[in-house]
Amino acid sequence: MDSVGGFQLPKYHPIPETQTQSPTPSADAATHNHPLLLCPLEQWASYTIKTKDRGSNDEYTISTTSVRGRPVLPLFWCNNKEFDSYGDCDVCRGSNFGTDYYFCELHHEKFHKECVESPLKIKHPYHPEHYLQLHFLNRITECFSCRRKAEWLVYRCTICQFFMHPVCAMKPISFVVDQPKRHHHSLTFFPRQTSLTCNVCGLLRKLYPTYVCLGCNFVAHNDCMYSPSIIKISRHHHRISYISSLRSGEWSCGVCRQGIDGDYGAYSCDKCSDYVVHSRCALGEDVWDGKELEGVPEEAETTLGPFNVITEGVISHFLHAHYLRFEVNILDDENNFCQACTLSIYEGNFYSCMECDFVIHETCAIAPRKIQSALHPHPLILKADIENDCNACARTAWGGFGYQCPIRECDFKLDVLCASISEPFDYKGHDHPLFLGLDPEEKAICHVCKTKFHKPLNCIKCDFIVCMKCATLPNKVKYKHDKHFLTILFGEEVCENDWCEVCERDLGDTDTKVFYWCKECCTTFHIECLFGKDPYMKPGKIIRVWGLNDVQILGKCKISRPICDHCKNRCQGKIFKRDKYRACSWHCMYVTFYM
């Protein structure tokens, strides 16, 4: 029996003609003549035209007719071991697949060799029931071979919604695996896996390739039989190890918070006897950094504090040049902004600079230099002047402190408020602790603001869900014309005076489902009317965009409220100024000049 197999080609091969001249960018290619092939971007152009004509942009099946009449472009074969280190394939968006690729001189783009040479239709052992067709998919899905994200150029079964990367589809298939990591016998590929539960992950995934040991009645998916032995995940402060079964008892997953069947594999902590995680939950891209730690010594991590104590009540913070003095809050000025979270300092202690107007909450001043957030698999570093949307709450932050992943390819950022979220989370608007237990790829409806968000917090005792944006709103705030603190109001009837005290609009006429209110005075306020539309964009910051004139962020005007030059409404909060133009929000300024 042959232990290695592969896909079966149909009669049609998309290789139009043979190349007569071969300019090559590598020594490996210099001794070969390689065929002229169609640039995948030409197929993509055909895709966008077709989908635009029919009013859809989700998917498009590539066929022989879809590429007729398109020019054949020179793609020169190379072998570059550094290819995937510098970027993904420009048509399948995949990296770390291999070293062979083509380069298009006209488009100046690079493509995996398999993506260029992909047949339009194949029959694959991992899905023998139906043919797989080459598709352009304008959404993110999962490859059923390697479990990595797949988009744009994919192989797809339109009946079963089975997807594969072209690179994965072209690889030879091992029908017999001699040394699987999770079993001591050889495993044999089993093509009809519809009713077999994997011993490693405990799941029945009928579309995933399955291998079996007939002597032991052992079953493993192709991506499970090589699961790592020891890993570190973002949800726990110790390493966790794979175990084939758990001792009898009731177990709950430390990631999804659902029950675990102890008869199947899981990951457990050797130091915390009660911490276990589903195999699939532990290996999720949002939880695990992809590193196998078996045989890697565990080093004691040294941490530096965010400040040094100079004398009693005086510190030196690593993100500010001057000494800071500890103060007990006596401020009552909404224009005194914390330089870290950019919110007004209404209550609590703070530090103020002894030489300039730098002010920071005490809680923000003690934010660690480095954290392991539950929202990201890599450690995050505290930086000043973050200029980007927060990946958790999607709020536009400009000029405050934030945490950033040092791995450039991640481009992951959190503002200091979202970075402070930990499990279990105590939300003042709910009686039970909250967790990050929902699927991060799915959007859930926040019970506070009634909008859909990724990565919300949820209650495992009831169905309560709150998004990061609502969970990190200040619990108490002040309004300049009210001597009492205001608290959050949602999910219940407001008082008889059901209008906003600032804009005087009827609360029922707006889409907002959450407000601030004064219990003593029975007055209500829109969040935007209190904070403005851009509360996390620091006053005094200069925004430089695309080489155009600078935009200056000004604080709330105490004397008058100028009219926005775009929406013609009064500027309730911060003012965005460019030359003689004024805008009430970054959105209005952006639409006016950049759209």
Side-chain angles (χ1 to χ4, degrees), residues 505-511:
R505 288 182 296 168
D506 192 315
L507 299 181
D509 295 338
T510 63
D511 294 331

Side-chain angles (χ1 to χ4, degrees), residues 73 118 122 141 151 167 207 220 380 390 497 581:
L73 303 175
S118 299
I122 63 173
T141 185
E151 61 177 322
V167 177
L207 293 179
L380 305 177
C390 173
N497 298 329
Y581 297 96

